[in-house]
Amino acid sequence: MILILKNGATNEQIDHVLARVESMGLQSHLSRGTYRTIIGLIGDESQLSQETLSSIPGVSQVIPVLPPFKLASREAHPESSIINVSGVQIGGGHLAMIAGPCSVEDRDRMYRIAESVCESGANLFRGGAYKPRTSPYAFQGLGEAGLEILRQVGDKFGIPVVTEVTDPRNVELVAQYADMLQVGARNMQNFVLLTEVGKSHRPVLLKRGMSATITDLLMSAEYVLSEGNPDVVLCERGIKSFDPSTRNLFDVAAVPVVQGLTHLPIIVDPSHATGRPDLIPPCALAGLAAGADGVHIEVHDCPEEAKSDGPQALLPEQYQEIAQRMRLMADLLGKTVSPRPSPTSGSSAGSGAPSGASNSNLPPKPPTEALA
Amino acid sequence: MILILKNGATNEQIDHVLARVESMGLQSHLSRGTYRTIIGLIGDESQLSQETLSSIPGVSQVIPVLPPFKLASREAHPESSIINVSGVQIGGGHLAMIAGPCSVEDRDRMYRIAESVCESGANLFRGGAYKPRTSPYAFQGLGEAGLEILRQVGDKFGIPVVTEVTDPRNVELVAQYADMLQVGARNMQNFVLLTEVGKSHRPVLLKRGMSATITDLLMSAEYVLSEGNPDVVLCERGIKSFDPSTRNLFDVAAVPVVQGLTHLPIIVDPSHATGRPDLIPPCALAGLAAGADGVHIEVHDCPEEAKSDGPQALLPEQYQEIAQRMRLMADLLGKTVSPRPSPTSGSSAGSGAPSGASNSNLPPKPPTEALA
Amino acid sequence: MILILKNGATNEQIDHVLARVESMGLQSHLSRGTYRTIIGLIGDESQLSQETLSSIPGVSQVIPVLPPFKLASREAHPESSIINVSGVQIGGGHLAMIAGPCSVEDRDRMYRIAESVCESGANLFRGGAYKPRTSPYAFQGLGEAGLEILRQVGDKFGIPVVTEVTDPRNVELVAQYADMLQVGARNMQNFVLLTEVGKSHRPVLLKRGMSATITDLLMSAEYVLSEGNPDVVLCERGIKSFDPSTRNLFDVAAVPVVQGLTHLPIIVDPSHATGRPDLIPPCALAGLAAGADGVHIEVHDCPEEAKSDGPQALLPEQYQEIAQRMRLMADLLGKTVSPRPSPTSGSSAGSGAPSGASNSNLPPKPPTEALA
Amino acid sequence: MILILKNGATNEQIDHVLARVESMGLQSHLSRGTYRTIIGLIGDESQLSQETLSSIPGVSQVIPVLPPFKLASREAHPESSIINVSGVQIGGGHLAMIAGPCSVEDRDRMYRIAESVCESGANLFRGGAYKPRTSPYAFQGLGEAGLEILRQVGDKFGIPVVTEVTDPRNVELVAQYADMLQVGARNMQNFVLLTEVGKSHRPVLLKRGMSATITDLLMSAEYVLSEGNPDVVLCERGIKSFDPSTRNLFDVAAVPVVQGLTHLPIIVDPSHATGRPDLIPPCALAGLAAGADGVHIEVHDCPEEAKSDGPQALLPEQYQEIAQRMRLMADLLGKTVSPRPSPTSGSSAGSGAPSGASNSNLPPKPPTEALA
């Protein structure tokens, strides 16, 4: 940290600051300029609070020198992490192609959609069983029944499944069914939930909050990592802006910014970022071109019947087309779409044999119809 | 709702839209303009989803006519609600003056601060026992030990206490100690938590999220109300902005905007809104002048020793001065600061006899030292 | 300035930075921390460019220590400036009460509105003759004919007039008619225009741009001051936000923030800030309570016939009521509304005898009907 | 337009609204819903003001049905426009590759940079002679001397040149030297300047303001078009955001949004959008992938010596690399980089024979050394 003192800070104040810094176990380096006195702190500042320092009388500004996240930082871990989601790799040149409806609905529809996106090359299937809705009167998801359907889809088509968890009491339950746990944008700073998913053994898809800075996002990842779960994939899904043209503002530059700061992969979600089907394909390609480690797109076969977020879903045939273009883009960029485990191996993986070292010790998933 | 169809919507599409609307139990009113066809929906639209309607082919825009919140709306409840927090009234001309440190710290310090703010005229004491911190390495609060200290303060000084709850599993526990439950800005759309506090019998202080529109805020209040808890006090505490001059941007106009839309009281929190002690007094007065039903200010007797958020706290003597000015402002505006219950009656109220009809059936609070 | 070097900056890079700094005529103070090397610059940094410094290889961050504005800064001029607008004082406890329609319209209407707002206690009359409109098809103002009407109003009612100038070629012309020149929000960074009004001898009302930080605002004031015109009044009129509840977001905290940084007065404009007549009164009072040096309110006697911005105007009788309440607020705050010069002296002042030292050497205003 | 009346609008108010609408020459369509009365307007609404309508008593909301821009709209002109800048085509599959330093500096440096970017495949050279700087103390550009150098560069290397114009009094002068006029972000709503460049015969590069919605941007383009100049190229260069990670927030989705609304081309400027050289390449590729009609990148051979904006420039060798990657991306997308006219024909084009129909009647450029 660097402390810039107030214009006119007294010698007494300066002495008090120096004494306080020393009492924190740090050395200080005093520099009196023409207009301001500056104190540089030397030593391990990881335990220092910027707030505390800026409350000391005479201190005007406190400037951190190191990022506040540690486990997530690229300085601590220079090589890009590759996250293994039941056999599908994300990061380090391996692309996630996540597709599926906003909400899990009836099983037949899920099978139809899953079959289609698998044919198009998706390698992760998504669907929400617990939906965080702004209105208490809106459809809130099928709950555990939805988780069961999702697991059946995953097992039948050999595709890992990702679903949102919203309640710390449900983390264990959701982890029994899903290959990956999503923490949604509205819960990005639900630190209680982050702590719980940090204790789980499932990889986590952490979506950026609508008003979260990139530092905020990485601090939330740090919560998960600091609980012992190293498998976090970040997701840019649009932030708040003054322009109503799009539902949110797709911050594509966040992709290289994040990649410079952390070793964790980051994917993009043009469905939520834009809220308009016509903008999903160009923004999906833009995300990949910016270096994203994957793309998350909502797909529904009849948006006007969707139980939530219909307007931001692609039709299966539209997904097929953009998926084809994404693969061409991946080729140009020298990246590969990590293949799905084969249905058979997928089923067995789904039943408890994840291949990634960091996913070990998963509880067995409950048997489902597809396994019968 | 009003549906504006796309330029060039076909007759088939129009017929399909009309059929869909009819299937939802509504009448429609077709109007073909020079450039666009418009369909007005007539009937009970409370069950309609804007998303679903905008996914119907041919539909360009869906314009809601009614606000999406119902129980919170002033149309449904024209008179301003007065919320009773263990004897202190908020709303309808009664001002809340909430003061106290960011975090509950040791008991002696809490007593000192409480004594001072009570002398200055505060009628609610605040302090966090569970702190949502952006860093997993920062002080996370004293937990239940903090709740105990807070209860002791409340009982000793006859001042109701408000504290934040962050975990749905803790709502019952916190409600046993506190007179009012705070849902913080980062949890404003933690719908799981909102549902739990909606089931509790304690009044709720609901802080606006940093990127929440006013509609979002009222929808979150609706979650609490729809679970059966009618006692919600809203709080404007600053939103995100591009200008780093202040920690957040204090949206003072939110006060009259909210008061036009809802019957629930709204207070302001200039401590979090600005993050700078020198800005707290002018913004506190501005909030009252704009019509706020109360002011929430952090107070600490040694900010550089505060365990969190020191820089945004006033010293007790600074609080005394602004409290005096707030009372003068209240006089000018024809409002009153609701008195604290007397320590004796306060203690008994604190021990299970809340005066507000809507606060009935509270579980008895656990005995504390101060009651002994 | 403080330079924070990149992690891993080489000794060669450090030497190059030190040599560059020396070549700029500054001394440097090197401090090697555990994780980063820091270089403090000592000397006159007013000619330094943050950009240039941050482009030197090895430099990670450049942190300015002094504000980039000088003439506008309170450090340079600790006492609050009082700006004299043809006899009306603004700042230092003297409040401006600016009222009038968005656009100058026909003379009879202007007379009616002016008579009313004068009776209510306004001390400056506003009206636009050159309107910056987002649409090329919208009413663009009456031009010089509007200026003439405005001057007639000023002379007849003995009230100084303020009007917007949008074209650097018109500054001299507008200055012949108006007592104060307004630079609108959209032109706040029109540096060519700022330079021209800086060369004029009329006081300037400088409105904050919709996405301007407070530093940006003060830098724009610096443009005017640095050309030799010391009479600048700043105006907070709302900034961009994600919430569509109000037209802009009224940043009331900007008032004390600005007052801490500069000696120039700052007023508020709740008409443009909110765009809603029902919000003007509470936000006007909030602005005063926060310490504003005046309030700018649009007034029109038939908003539905207004040639621009009707929805954000008060009716004359509404203005009368809020003006009365603003005077009560001023009393509470120990401030006074500077009186209008009497119509007679006003006319003479209007004809070339301004009372403020800094307004000397004004060109004589052209004779108008009202003077005949 | 659609008028939604207030809850409880009286019959008298409704009659008054209908009479007002009729007086504007429009038919109306009344629809009484359960909760609200709605009036649809039928006829030519191009002369209607949303403001005026919303000021009529009893009116709650006014909802426009048509976009407020006409000449710029794709409805009026479905085919994508191709803008010809002295032989270089932009739009309709033809990409602009604009490169050059922020400011024009000495001629030798300009020649060096121009030679390099031409070799890399740039087809437009940029450099500012009039610089809009936030500080009055910063370098303000070389003025006409800079224009002369720029023209020499253009003629010597056969590359059209684009430069910013900031003063309506200078438009003619700048148009004598430059092939394309830039209106910068801070002047996007300088309607006086827009009107002047609308009267010029040079193509215009119109940059989006930092807080401009896409509608605002298109309304500003409409100003230029409505003055008779059809040659407008739009540019996304980042908007304001709460996250300090990047200088501005690169709104890549603006590209397809704009392309859906208008026939005019849109390019991206990752230099200004991000302010960081490491982010320029990924964001340049992202812009192209999203469908941009070109990319604008600042290039300087010694950023630490640049007179402005050094930190956001690429080195010539970095530009060469990203230019190569942009060409590969263009191939994938089926687009072509419009070739520069050959130096010889370029010189003659530069001297008065522009090839695009809409660029006819240009005044001859002044002779320069390079032509001698």
Side-chain angles (χ1 to χ4, degrees), chain C residues 223-264:
Chain C
Y223 259 93
V224 180
L225 300 179
S226 68
E227 291 292 334
N229 187 341
D231 294 322
V232 176
V233 175
L234 306 168
C235 181
E236 161 59 31
R237 44 77 72 208
I239 57 176
K240 287 275 179 171
S241 150
F242 57 84
D243 191 340
S245 300
T246 48
R247 182 163 158 183
N248 292 292
L249 197 128
F250 179 41
D251 180 9
V252 77
V255 171
V257 171
V258 162
Q259 288 171 337
L261 293 170
T262 186
H263 54 93
L264 300 171

Side-chain angles (χ1 to χ4, degrees), chain C residues 28 31 43 90 100 118 142 196 198-199 208 225 234 244 248 253 256 288 301 320 322 324 344 346 350 356 366:
Chain C
S28 56
S31 164
I90 308 176
C118 283
L142 294 179
E196 287 299 321
K199 290 176 183 158
R208 181 181 182 188
L225 300 179
L234 306 168
N248 292 292
L288 288 182
D301 60 351
Q320 187 175 24
I322 182 62
Q324 164 71 8
T344 328

Side-chain angles (χ1 to χ4, degrees), chain D residues 14-328:
Chain D
I14 295 173
D15 290 345
H16 177 67
V17 174
L18 294 174
R20 288 280 291 159
V21 165
E22 203 176 326
S23 78
M24 294 167 182
L26 290 144
Q27 286 180 276
S28 56
H29 194 129
L30 186 74
S31 163
R32 290 177 193 266
T34 312
Y35 302 102
R36 288 284 193 280
T37 294
I38 292 159
I39 298 175
L41 307 190
I42 300 170
D44 175 16
E45 64 179 54
S46 65
Q47 299 309 313
L48 290 188
S49 153
Q50 199 175 338
E51 289 171 353
T52 300
L53 292 166
S54 65
S55 296
I56 306 177
V59 173
S60 165
Q61 268 185 278
V62 179
I63 295 155
V65 170
L66 294 181
F69 42 87
K70 295 162 211 319
L71 300 172
S73 89
R74 198 174 272 282
E75 294 200 6
H77 187 306
E79 209 173 329
S80 294
S81 287
I82 299 175
I83 308 299
N84 183 314
V85 182
S86 299
V88 169
Q89 295 187 305
I90 308 175
H94 304 275
L95 299 183
M97 282 178 60
I98 307 181
C102 180
S103 300
V104 177
E105 303 183 23
D106 66 276
R107 205 180 63 178
D108 286 354
R109 169 160 276 157
M110 293 305 99
Y111 276 23
R112 280 202 307 276
I113 298 175
E115 184 169 24
S116 164
V117 300
C118 283
E119 274 172 21
S120 298
N123 55 15
L124 269 163
F125 188 74
R126 68 145 282 132
Y130 300 94
K131 299 299 306 172
R133 304 303 298 277
T134 47
S135 169
Y137 311 119
F139 175 66
Q140 307 273 326
L142 295 179
E144 190 167 357
L147 295 177
E148 274 172 26
I149 293 171
L150 202 60
R151 184 70 261 149
Q152 290 167 356
V153 166
D155 291 343
K156 181 172 177 70
F157 296 96
I159 186 168
V161 295
V162 52
T163 196
E164 181 161 359
V165 58
T166 61
D167 189 331
R169 296 168 296 197
N170 279 354
V171 170
E172 209 175 323
L173 176 73
V174 177
Q176 282 172 20
Y177 288 97
D179 298 281
M180 186 176 210
L181 306 177
Q182 178 184 314
V183 174
R186 287 182 179 76
N187 281 313
M188 192 204 84
Q189 292 195 320
N190 181 342
F191 304 117
V192 170
L193 183 64
L194 293 173
T195 300
E196 286 301 320
V197 300
K199 289 175 183 158
S200 115
H201 298 276
R202 293 287 177 198
V204 174
L205 179 61
L206 177 62
K207 303 190 94 173
R208 181 182 182 187
M210 280 158 285
S211 64
T213 63
I214 286 171
T215 301
D216 290 337
L217 173 62
L218 293 174
M219 290 308 290
S220 289
E222 190 83 5
Y223 260 92
V224 180
L225 300 179
S226 69
E227 291 292 334
N229 186 343
D231 293 323
V232 177
V233 174
L234 306 167
C235 181
E236 160 61 29
R237 44 77 73 208
I239 58 176
K240 287 273 179 172
S241 149
F242 57 84
D243 191 340
S245 300
T246 48
R247 182 163 159 182
N248 292 290
L249 197 128
F250 179 40
D251 181 8
V252 77
V255 170
V257 171
V258 162
Q259 288 171 338
L261 294 169
T262 186
H263 53 93
L264 300 171
I266 178 166
I267 68 168
V268 295
D269 172 359
S271 285
H272 284 88
T274 67
R276 278 173 47 180
D278 60 318
L279 302 178
I280 295 175
C283 290
L285 295 176
L288 288 182
D293 298 299
V295 179
H296 171 288
I297 291 178
E298 294 199 351
V299 178
H300 198 284
D301 59 352
C302 185
E304 68 172 289
E305 292 175 5
K307 295 205 174 296
S308 57
D309 273 356
Q312 69 190 38
L314 290 186
L315 294 168
E317 55 269 29
Q318 292 171 321
Y319 185 71
Q320 186 175 24
E321 191 187 328
I322 183 61
Q324 164 71 8
R325 295 177 68 197
M326 290 196 287
R327 276 196 304 275
L328 293 173

Side-chain angles (χ1 to χ4, degrees), chain B residues 174-241:
Chain B
V174 177
Q176 282 172 18
Y177 289 96
D179 299 281
M180 187 177 209
L181 305 177
Q182 178 185 313
V183 175
R186 288 182 178 75
N187 280 314
M188 193 203 83
Q189 292 195 318
N190 180 342
F191 304 117
V192 170
L193 183 64
L194 292 173
T195 300
E196 286 301 320
V197 300
K199 289 176 183 158
S200 115
H201 299 276
R202 292 288 177 195
V204 175
L205 179 61
L206 177 61
K207 303 192 92 174
R208 181 181 182 188
M210 280 158 285
S211 64
T213 63
I214 287 172
T215 300
D216 291 338
L217 173 62
L218 293 174
M219 290 307 291
S220 288
E222 189 84 5
Y223 260 92
V224 180
L225 300 179
S226 70
E227 291 293 335
N229 186 342
D231 294 324
V232 177
V233 175
L234 306 168
C235 182
E236 160 60 30
R237 44 78 71 210
I239 58 176
K240 287 272 180 173
S241 150

